[in-house]
Amino acid sequence: MSRRAGFILAMALLLVLGLLASYVLGKLEPYEDVIEHGPSPEVASSPYLAAEHFLRKQGIAARRAEGLEVLDGLPSEGQTLMLLADRNNMTPRQVERVLQWTANGGHLLFIAERLWDEEEGKSGDLLLDLLGVQQYMSDELDDDESSESEQENEESEAYPQLTKLYLENEQAPAYIAFDTDFHLYDAQNRAHVWANSEAATHLLQLYHGDGLITVLSDPWIWQNRTIDKYDHAWLLWYLSQDSAVTLLYHADSDGLARLLLRHFPLALLVLALLIIATLWHVGMRHGPMQAPASRARRQLEEHLRGGADFLLRRSGQHSLLKGLQQDINRRARRRHPGFEKLAVAEQWQVLGRMTRLPAKDISQAMRPLPPQRLSASDFTRQVAHLQTLRNAL
């Protein structure tokens, strides 16, 4: 074959390959890879950030507070204070101060946190007890109360799980998805506004002095992931209109920094004490060797270790782990009456409030055990999670 014929053949081959490539590329469809990075750190640390932005878009002045110290410079008239944070550490003096601020013309909104204890005649939630509001589990309601609730909601059977708020001059109610496991009871008959689902009451509003108090059964409706559902955002606006709003809830983004700046001398003293304690601990590590444990102590440790090994071989891993979980539930029932009647998710939330442990640690300890046998490391790790939770109780 001549050089010219070879050149022509090569060019023809290139042309065929080019046409084939053009055809294949024409058949391909463009696509995009979407990578979900999850919520930003600001959103993750501020569960009510969307509520703040919504209020500002409605022309309502909204700000976030880190503690009840905000009342020092907060006038009562024309102000709404929303207590959405955990109030377990709220003192009687702070409760009196908040109620006095409300009586002077403020609007106080808070979440019912404790269930009513019939034996003790109180719930332990100071705000609820002083206002005569009692919270029950919906499935504990008497038949009479249930029948009354059903009669009040005859006209709203289309959405039995949703709470309805009826307003004057409005043909249709507002719909809110409160947690229907909880029920608010106005024991002193002071409420002038309330909102019910088919099973229970979830919102009460009553006058207090020259001010107004709104009690809700749960705050989840205004968190970032649920505020856009049903009429949740509308309810937030309705309860906040014609006032400036101060939201008090846990925000981890800058709360620690502000706290340190506010108490800088005390923080400096604590840091110095920590440094001294660390140096003392390091110095003790290089000190004289401790005497060996006595023979009786060593025998006791060997006996306990042998007893634990015997129980593990005889009862198995699952029996021991389930026993620890049952012990945790018993301890929780002593501190929180009605704990055993809560749903699993609610039980974990109560454990988190009582122990101050993260939700991840609670679920790691109390989740159902797998049917298969755990490895030695997994079994030891699970026992450590359960012991940490039990000790925290």
Side-chain angles (χ1 to χ4, degrees):
M1 182 183 294
S2 65
R3 183 179 299 178
R4 183 176 180 181
F7 176 76
I8 294 174
L9 182 60
M11 292 299 294
L13 182 60
L14 288 175
L15 179 60
V16 171
L17 291 175
L19 293 173
L20 182 60
S22 299
Y23 175 79
V24 172
L25 291 176
K27 291 295 184 181
L28 293 178
E29 296 181 358
Y31 71 95
E32 293 182 357
D33 247 346
V34 179
I35 301 176
E36 294 288 345
H37 294 285
S40 66
E42 184 182 11
V43 174
S45 62
S46 303
Y48 300 97
L49 184 63
E52 293 182 43
H53 286 285
F54 169 76
L55 290 174
R56 295 189 186 108
K57 286 184 178 180
Q58 307 308 311
I60 297 175
R63 64 167 176 165
R64 184 189 316 170
E66 303 297 333
L68 289 174
E69 296 82 5
V70 70
L71 293 179
D72 293 338
L74 188 67
S76 296
E77 294 187 3
Q79 297 287 334
T80 296
L81 176 63
M82 295 188 175
L83 297 183
L84 305 177
D86 189 348
R87 294 182 288 106
N88 282 337
N89 296 326
M90 200 171 182
T91 64
R93 184 174 181 180
Q94 289 175 324
V95 171
E96 292 179 4
R97 186 180 183 190
V98 169
L99 291 179
Q100 184 59 50
W101 176 88
T102 307
N104 292 337
H107 177 198
L108 172 65
L109 184 148
F110 70 93
I111 312 302
E113 291 189 344
R114 303 279 186 91
L115 296 174
W116 179 257
D117 190 326
E118 294 288 353
E119 296 181 358
E120 296 187 4
K122 62 180 182 179
S123 67
D125 186 326
L126 298 179
L127 279 175
L128 285 182
D129 293 342
L130 288 175
L131 296 173
V133 177
Q134 302 171 4
Q135 182 173 221
Y136 297 91
M137 299 299 297
S138 299
D139 54 7
E140 295 178 355
L141 297 179
D142 295 335
D143 294 338
D144 294 341
E145 295 182 10
S146 300
S147 61
E148 290 177 4
S149 178
E150 290 176 1
Q151 291 175 3
E152 292 176 359
N153 294 279
E154 285 178 351
E155 301 176 357
S156 56
E157 294 180 356
Y159 306 99
Q161 297 301 317
L162 296 180
T163 299
K164 292 86 180 174
L165 179 63
Y166 293 88
L167 302 176
E168 294 183 5
N169 303 323
E170 294 289 341
Q171 296 182 353
Y175 293 94
I176 305 100
F178 282 108
D179 188 344
T180 56
D181 288 338
F182 300 99
H183 167 72
L184 298 177
Y185 174 63
D186 179 19
Q188 298 179 3
N189 198 26
R190 295 177 56 186
H192 65 279
V193 173
W194 53 89
N196 305 325
S197 65
E198 188 178 52
T201 299
H202 306 288
L203 182 149
L204 293 174
Q205 199 169 73
L206 48 96
Y207 294 114
H208 184 74
D210 294 332
L212 186 67
I213 293 179
T214 302
V215 186
L216 303 181
S217 60
D218 61 83
W220 321 118
I221 57 173
W222 292 332
Q223 291 189 352
N224 296 331
R225 64 182 183 275
T226 53
I227 191 173
D228 61 339
K229 300 182 182 301
Y230 302 106
D231 294 318
H232 296 176
W234 176 89
L235 179 65
L236 179 64
W237 167 83
Y238 178 74
L239 296 175
S240 308
Q241 59 182 330
D242 301 326
S243 70
V245 178
T246 301
L247 297 101
L248 199 157
Y249 65 89
H250 293 308
D252 301 330
S253 55
D254 57 351
L256 181 59
R258 290 185 182 180
L259 186 63
L260 290 176
L261 289 175
R262 188 182 307 155
H263 304 285
F264 181 73
L266 179 61
L268 195 61
L269 175 61
V270 171
L271 178 61
L273 292 176
L274 286 175
I275 294 175
I276 293 174
T278 302
L279 293 176
W280 175 81
H281 177 69
V282 172
M284 288 296 293
R285 288 174 62 87
H286 296 284
M289 295 292 292
Q290 294 183 352
S294 63
R295 178 179 177 83
R297 177 59 181 260
R298 293 198 301 271
Q299 288 179 344
L300 176 61
E301 292 177 351
E302 292 174 358
H303 175 73
L304 292 175
R305 187 179 297 110
D309 291 339
F310 173 77
L311 289 175
L312 178 60
R313 290 194 303 270
R314 181 175 181 179
S315 301
Q317 295 178 345
H318 286 66
S319 177
L320 294 179
L321 294 176
K322 189 173 181 180
L324 282 173
Q325 290 179 340
Q326 291 174 348
D327 188 34
I328 290 171
N329 289 329
R330 282 195 296 271
R331 293 169 185 261
R333 284 197 298 270
R334 295 194 192 105
R335 295 184 54 185
H336 190 95
F339 176 82
E340 70 281 2
K341 298 180 180 179
L342 299 177
V344 174
E346 297 296 333
Q347 289 181 352
W348 291 3
Q349 291 176 5
V350 171
L351 288 174
R353 289 199 298 267
M354 290 193 296
T355 62
R356 305 292 184 182
L357 293 176
K360 179 181 178 182
D361 293 352
I362 302 295
S363 63
Q364 180 70 31
M366 301 301 292
R367 65 185 181 184
L369 301 174
Q372 66 273 16
R373 179 181 176 82
L374 300 176
S375 64
S377 59
D378 290 339
F379 174 73
T380 304
R381 191 178 300 110
Q382 185 65 15
V383 170
H385 286 305
L386 289 166
Q387 287 180 335
T388 300
L389 178 56
R390 185 174 65 174
N391 293 340
L393 285 172

